[in-house]
Amino acid sequence: MAKTRSMHIVVGSACLLLAQAFTPLLSAAAELIDLSGKAAAFVTLRSRDNFSSEYRYDVTVRNNSADLFIADSLIIVLDRITNIGGQDRENLTGESLLNRMEIIGQDGTTEDGRPFFRVPQGSGPDLTPNSESLPVTVRIRNRDYVAVFTPSFRVMGQKRDAPKQKSPAAAAAAAAAPNKATTDKLIQLLIKKGLITPQEAQSLSQP
């Protein structure tokens, strides 16, 4: 009885840890925006294993906009699978072809149940305009052994907010700050040398 209780505790703890591990992935994906039209996924078939019907792809993200995208926020979502006729559903059953595939090594699923993969962060904090990300390896196992199929991805992530423009008054104050510091140092030097009195220095410091 005690052994059974201990096993239940171990299993329950493991389930709790798994839930805690995957919750950030789900919540992170929910906070991202669809970058379609601004960022595109480029898919390259790298290898094919005919015995297991497994296909390995490299997928990169290209920033086609003038915006900065936060590099560690980017994910690619496997949106659909199409057959040679461009259809994404079974002819007879109407079932999504995506559901007939085994997706290996995904990082999580979106709210609508589609698998996603995190894009590796490059050397900088952002994916800059007209630049391309490091590749993501995507493995898809075709359980139906369909001869030809095509995976389609969409990109999600977060834009980097542009720095706020300073008002003319703030810009003038920032420019004047170094000048005031230099003037104050000069006045202190004049006092130290006895060339002016502290009262005269105070009048000089007033705007």
Side-chain angles (χ1 to χ4, degrees):
M1 183 71 177
K3 185 176 181 180
T4 302
R5 176 180 171 81
S6 298
M7 287 297 296
H8 287 166
I9 292 174
V10 170
V11 172
S13 299
C15 291
L16 179 60
L17 288 173
L18 286 172
Q20 291 174 342
F22 282 103
T23 296
L25 291 177
L26 291 172
S27 60
E31 295 171 357
L32 304 180
I33 60 173
D34 192 335
L35 299 177
S36 298
K38 294 188 174 183
F42 289 89
V43 184
T44 304
L45 176 62
R46 287 302 182 193
S47 64
R48 172 183 175 181
D49 187 334
N50 291 327
F51 181 77
S52 63
S53 192
E54 180 179 311
Y55 297 74
R56 185 185 296 264
Y57 300 89
D58 277 354
V59 185
T60 58
V61 173
R62 182 170 182 79
N63 182 357
N64 294 323
S65 74
D67 297 324
L68 294 174
F69 300 134
I70 301 175
D72 63 2
S73 75
L74 294 173
I75 64 172
I76 54 169
V77 179
L78 180 51
D79 206 29
R80 60 184 187 139
I81 298 284
T82 56
N83 59 22
I84 193 171
Q87 300 171 329
D88 62 356
R89 294 187 176 276
E90 294 272 1
N91 288 329
L92 297 177
T93 64
E95 182 183 7
S96 170
L97 293 178
L98 180 56
N99 295 339
R100 303 298 305 162
M101 303 289 171
E102 181 182 355
I103 313 303
I104 303 170
Q106 67 192 59
D107 290 313
T109 55
T110 60
E111 290 182 327
D112 56 359
R114 284 172 167 74
F116 71 78
F117 298 81
R118 291 194 176 279
V119 177
Q121 181 173 349
S123 57
D126 299 316
L127 185 65
T128 56
N130 300 315
S131 65
E132 199 163 308
S133 74
L134 295 175
V136 186
T137 298
V138 177
R139 296 165 59 198
I140 301 176
R141 191 166 292 160
N142 183 2
R143 293 180 293 192
D144 290 338
Y145 290 86
V146 177
V148 178
F149 68 90
T150 303
S152 298
F153 298 86
R154 57 189 166 94
V155 183
M156 299 184 69
Q158 293 178 335
K159 291 196 304 182
R160 178 78 67 186
D161 291 334
K164 294 182 178 179
Q165 296 291 333
K166 291 183 179 180
S167 65
N179 294 333
K180 185 177 186 305
T182 302
T183 302
D184 290 343
K185 286 182 180 180
L186 179 58
I187 290 174
Q188 293 300 321
L189 181 62
L190 293 175
I191 294 174
K192 186 175 181 180
K193 291 183 175 293
L195 298 176
I196 60 174
T197 65
Q199 291 77 13
E200 291 171 331
Q202 185 175 2
S203 64
L204 291 174
S205 299
Q206 292 177 353

